[in-house]
């Protein structure tokens, strides 16, 4: 039976990944900052699905937290067959309104943790000749959205580049780029989402189902909804200045996810 390691696993897309994978019979390792919430989530998944669920309480904004993730992702004695890098957060406010400390923390969680855990997991998977990695980015990475969008763009480009480098090894890598998903993400960042049209919101379990189907097909990029695929197609045709004006004036530094 295979094992999946999921970061940011107690809420939102992370919780949806955990639910789907446990239902499919995969053992789990769940990582998040809140140890008590992790244990409750693990017990619930074990009781309902009969799978083994380990927990790893770690803060990916710290060196200790990233090291713990890195070591578990690359553990040869307890191999990880699927790594889902989902942990992330948003910052309210435009550039220069948010603190530099928050900006740097975002880069550490979104970029450094993803880089190091992907490298650790991919190396171990390459030795076994199989494995999968899903790095959760966002369609915000295709838009001019400050540090959040830039970090998500980095995840997408890094993941697709690594997928090319590891082609033929049995290791599959995919960047997942959802739109607005109904999770705790925006509430935790103190963001007002009242102006977002209802049709733009996605359901977390459906996003997970679509992403796992895309991974099975060998895709390196998943935009799991026809509406967002169409919107992202339009962004490639629009001049950068038009995109900047279209996304300016909201007073927020965040994108869909």
């Amino acid at each position: 039976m295979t094992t999946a390691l999921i970061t940011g696993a107690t809420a939102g897309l992370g919780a949806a990944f955990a639910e789907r994978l446990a239902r499919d019979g995969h053992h789990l390792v769940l990582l998040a900052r809140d140890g008590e919430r992790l244990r409750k989530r693990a017990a619930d998944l074990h009781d309902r699905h009969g799978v083994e669920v380990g927990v790893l309480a770690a803060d990916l904004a710290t060196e200790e937290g990233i090291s713990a993730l890195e070591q578990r992702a690359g553990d040869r004695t307890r191999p990880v067959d699927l790594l889902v890098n989902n942990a992330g957060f948003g910052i309210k406010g435009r550039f220069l309104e948010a603190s530099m400390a928050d900006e740097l923390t975002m880069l550490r969680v979104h970029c450094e943790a993803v880089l190091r855990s992907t490298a650790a997991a991919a190396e171990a998977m390459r030795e076994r000749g199989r494995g999968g990695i899903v790095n959760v980015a966002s369609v915000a990475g295709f838009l001019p959205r400050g540090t959040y969008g830039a970090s998500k763009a980095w995840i997408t480009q890094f993941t697709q580049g690594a997928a090319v480098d590891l082609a033929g090894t049995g290791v599959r890598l995919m960047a997942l780029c959802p739109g607005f998903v109904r999770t705790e993400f925006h509430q935790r960042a103190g963001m007002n989402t009242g102006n977002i049209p209802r049709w733009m919101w996605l359901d977390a379990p459906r996003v997970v189902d679509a992403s796992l189907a895309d991974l099975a097909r060998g895709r390196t990029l998943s935009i799991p909804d026809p509406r967002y695929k169409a919107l992202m197609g339009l962004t490639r045709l629009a001049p950068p200045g038009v995109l900047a004006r279209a996304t300016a004036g909201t007073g927020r530094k965040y994108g869909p996810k």
Side-chain angles (χ1 to χ4, degrees), residues 11-192:
L13 281 178
F17 268 108
E19 179 68 31
R20 163 64 193 275
L21 293 168
R23 189 171 69 243
D24 288 350
H26 299 274
H27 296 315
L28 302 177
V29 179
L30 308 181
L31 182 149
R33 291 181 298 173
D34 189 332
E36 181 178 356
R37 194 176 184 186
L38 268 177
R39 288 186 288 273
K40 288 180 179 179
R41 182 66 177 158
D44 175 64
L45 289 169
H46 170 75
D47 292 345
R48 287 191 295 110
H49 300 293
V51 296
E52 295 179 8
V53 187
V55 298
L56 183 58
D59 183 354
L60 298 182
T62 67
E63 171 60 29
E64 294 78 11
I66 296 178
S67 293
L69 168 61
E70 190 176 30
Q71 291 171 17
R72 185 63 187 87
D75 192 335
R76 271 68 168 175
T77 63
R78 299 174 297 165
V80 169
D81 302 281
L82 175 65
L83 169 65
V84 180
N85 271 314
N86 168 73
F89 67 98
I91 303 174
K92 184 178 181 180
R94 303 186 188 198
F95 182 58
L96 298 184
E97 294 177 355
S99 72
M100 184 54 62
D102 286 343
E103 300 272 13
L104 292 172
T105 297
M106 176 171 284
L107 292 177
R108 169 162 266 197
V109 173
H110 290 185
C111 300
E112 183 180 350
V114 169
L115 170 64
R116 290 170 57 180
S117 61
T118 297
E123 185 174 9
M125 291 173 182
R126 183 173 61 178
E127 292 173 3
R128 299 194 303 273
R130 65 184 186 279
I133 299 172
V134 176
N135 290 329
V136 179
S138 170
V139 296
F142 302 108
L143 303 170
R145 296 302 300 167
T147 302
Y148 181 87
S151 67
K152 293 300 185 178
W154 181 89
I155 292 174
T156 300
Q157 292 297 318
F158 160 70
T159 303
Q160 291 191 287
V164 171
D165 291 342
L166 292 171
T169 65
V171 183
R172 295 170 294 167
L173 294 96
M174 186 184 76
L176 169 59
C177 297
F180 289 102
V181 184
R182 295 194 183 280
T183 68
E184 300 176 4
F185 177 81
H186 301 95
Q187 181 181 2
R188 286 184 174 185
M191 299 169 182
N192 178 18

